[in-house]
Each structure stands twice: as C-alpha cells, then as structure tokens.
C-alpha cells in the first residue's frame, strides 16, 4: 500500500517536470512531509491538449456514489493493478480518467514479529530527482445534500520489485517520463502497471513519528535517516 507521501516540489519544478501549459496561473505549493489519505494532494491532468495541476481529495469517490461520503467505508486511496479494470470503484475511472500524482517519495512500513509498532521506511529516487511520478486515477462526484462537487484521486499500486520487497509486499506504479502521455490519454493501460526497475529507488529507515497521521506534515525531520 502507499498511504503516506512526502511532497516538497516547487511550482517551477512541477511546470518543468510535467510540461504544464503555461496559461495556468502559478499555484502556491508548500512542502508536506506526511500527506495522508482524505487530505488534498496535487495531481496532473491532460485534457483537450491542456496539461495542468489540479488539487484533489486523496481517496477516490466514484461519480455514481449515491450515499453520503461518511458512509463510504472502503479504503480507496490505492487501486490494485491486478483488479483495477474490474473493480466497480475504479473501472470507470481506469477507462476514462487518468492522472499523474507527483511526490518526492513515499513511506512503507516493515512489520517485525514481536515488535508492536512497524518500522517506517522512506523511498525516494536514487538519482536525486526531486519527484517520483505515480500513475493515478480520478473522478468527480457531487454531494446531493450540499451540492458540492468533489474531485478525488487514487494511486495505482502493484507487486513490489526485489528492492522494495525487502520492506513491503506492494509498491506504487512509478511512471517514466515517456509513459506520461500514453497513460494520461488512455492509449496505454495495464502494460504500464508493473514494478519499477530495481535501480530506481533508494530507501532508509525514518522516525516512527511518521506512524501517526497527527505528525506535523511540515516537519522536514520526518524523512531524516535514523539508525535501523
């Protein structure tokens, strides 16, 4: 699973990395070192030839959902590559609503027998790139009670490569730049939902303060390496 994701990209980095259409006003981005599901995160959309940044709720709400949001008990912040084309929660978005989700890295937790709290690990690009790009899906839902329209997204996850499997049994689908356009326009699909190359990531253990969603998400020490 991928349930926490540090984000410390500047607007200038996002524009350059994702080749945003420059008629969009600059967005005031801010560092977040512990972004959690149901909070708002940045996504990249490409519609009608316009590539732009869009902020969405992390945790997909399908457009057909007819009940109050509080009644949605399923966790929809991740979508499994193996079932995304069939699962009712995700199959429509997989066919028509793709996005990119930029992160600076992500956390995973290693469970050890006899240890109460799992050990969090931070994964980030081995080459020092400021961003990892996760394949995402999005949808738009209207709250019947309030009339509010909510855009939401989910991150695609798949089987781990050997490097990630040392810590966890899943990993996010990480796209290379050449895959951005075919993913966004729907010309590519399941064939992209595979583990990343073994040499893409680096990892190190971090403070168990990350285990709490209440940890300040502007605390830069959350991604500091600690002794194993």
């Amino acid at each position: 699973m991928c349930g926490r994701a540090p984000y410390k990209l500047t607007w200038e980095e996002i524009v350059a990395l994702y080749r945003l259409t420059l008629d969009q006003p600059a967005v005031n981005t801010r560092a977040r070192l512990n972004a959690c599901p149901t909070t708002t995160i940045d996504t990249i959309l490409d519609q009608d030839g316009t590539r732009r940044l869009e902020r969405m709720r992390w945790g997909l709400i399908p457009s057909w959902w007819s009940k109050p949001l509080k009644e949605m008990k399923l966790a929809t912040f991740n979508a499994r590559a193996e079932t995304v084309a069939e699962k009712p929660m995700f199959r429509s978005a997989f066919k028509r609503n793709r996005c990119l989700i930029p992160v600076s890295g992500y956390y995973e937790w290693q469970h050890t027998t006899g240890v109460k709290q799992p050990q969090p690990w931070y994964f980030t690009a081995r080459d020092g790139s400021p961003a990892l790009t996760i394949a995402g899906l999005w949808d738009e839902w209207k709250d019947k009670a309030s009339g509010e329209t909510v855009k939401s997204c989910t991150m695609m996850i798949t089987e781990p490569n050997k490097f990630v499997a040392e810590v966890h049994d899943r990993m996010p689908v990480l796209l290379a730049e050449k895959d951005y356009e075919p993913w966004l326009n729907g010309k590519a699909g399941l064939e992209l939902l595979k583990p990343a190359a073994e040499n893409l990531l680096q990892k190190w253990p971090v403070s168990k303060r990350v285990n709490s969603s209440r940890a300040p998400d502007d605390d830069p020490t959350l991604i500091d390496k600690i002794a194993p």
Side-chain angles (χ1 to χ4, degrees):
M1 305 295 281
C2 182
R4 302 283 174 79
Y7 177 91
K8 49 180 181 175
L9 297 168
T10 66
W11 173 246
E12 290 75 19
E13 287 173 328
I14 293 170
V15 169
L17 286 167
Y18 300 103
R19 301 180 183 179
L20 300 191
T21 306
L22 293 179
D23 59 359
Q24 177 178 13
V27 175
N28 183 24
T29 63
R30 69 178 182 89
R32 299 178 64 196
L33 283 302
N34 201 24
C36 304
T38 73
T39 63
T40 301
I41 62 174
D42 290 347
T43 70
I44 306 298
L45 301 184
D46 195 335
Q47 295 178 307
D48 301 321
T50 299
R51 190 175 291 188
R52 68 182 190 278
L53 183 148
E54 187 87 25
R55 287 186 162 150
M56 299 190 188
R57 176 189 188 270
W58 182 10
L60 190 135
I61 313 166
S63 58
W64 50 260
W65 184 257
S66 59
K67 299 178 182 178
L69 184 54
K70 65 182 180 181
E71 293 187 28
M72 180 179 284
K73 304 302 181 183
L74 292 175
T76 59
F77 57 90
N78 287 163
R80 287 178 173 260
E82 299 89 339
T83 58
V84 67
E86 291 83 33
K87 286 280 188 180
M89 280 286 178
F90 304 118
R91 64 190 178 193
S92 179
F94 178 67
K95 290 178 182 178
R96 60 184 174 83
N97 290 341
R98 308 281 187 80
C99 65
L100 307 176
I101 301 178
V103 297
S104 298
Y106 71 96
Y107 300 111
E108 281 298 2
W109 281 261
Q110 184 176 38
H111 293 265
T112 304
T113 302
V115 178
K116 185 176 181 180
Q117 275 199 328
Q119 174 60 54
W121 289 74
Y122 179 53
F123 289 82
T124 190
R126 185 175 295 190
D127 65 2
S129 171
L132 297 173
T133 303
I134 300 176
L137 310 175
W138 70 278
D139 213 337
E140 189 171 87
W141 170 78
K142 187 171 184 178
D143 186 330
K144 293 181 179 179
S146 68
E148 178 188 11
T149 297
V150 179
K151 289 184 177 180
S152 61
C153 64
T154 187
M155 295 180 179
M156 294 299 314
I157 60 171
T158 189
E159 295 180 352
N161 59 26
K162 293 179 180 178
F163 180 74
V164 173
E166 295 172 356
V167 171
H168 202 266
D169 63 357
R170 305 295 293 177
M171 71 178 298
V173 173
L174 301 172
L175 298 178
E177 184 177 355
K178 64 180 178 60
D179 300 323
Y180 295 171
E181 186 171 351
W183 174 254
L184 287 169
N185 63 26
K187 291 183 178 179
L190 295 175
E191 68 274 19
L192 292 181
L193 306 183
K194 58 188 179 181
E198 298 291 341
N199 63 353
L200 179 67
L201 299 172
Q202 59 179 326
K203 67 178 184 290
W204 57 80
V206 295
S207 170
K208 290 184 179 180
R209 288 183 295 120
V210 170
N211 294 356
S212 172
S213 60
R214 296 181 181 180
D217 70 0
D218 60 352
D219 182 355
T221 68
L222 289 176
I223 61 172
D224 286 352
K225 183 177 181 179
I226 64 166

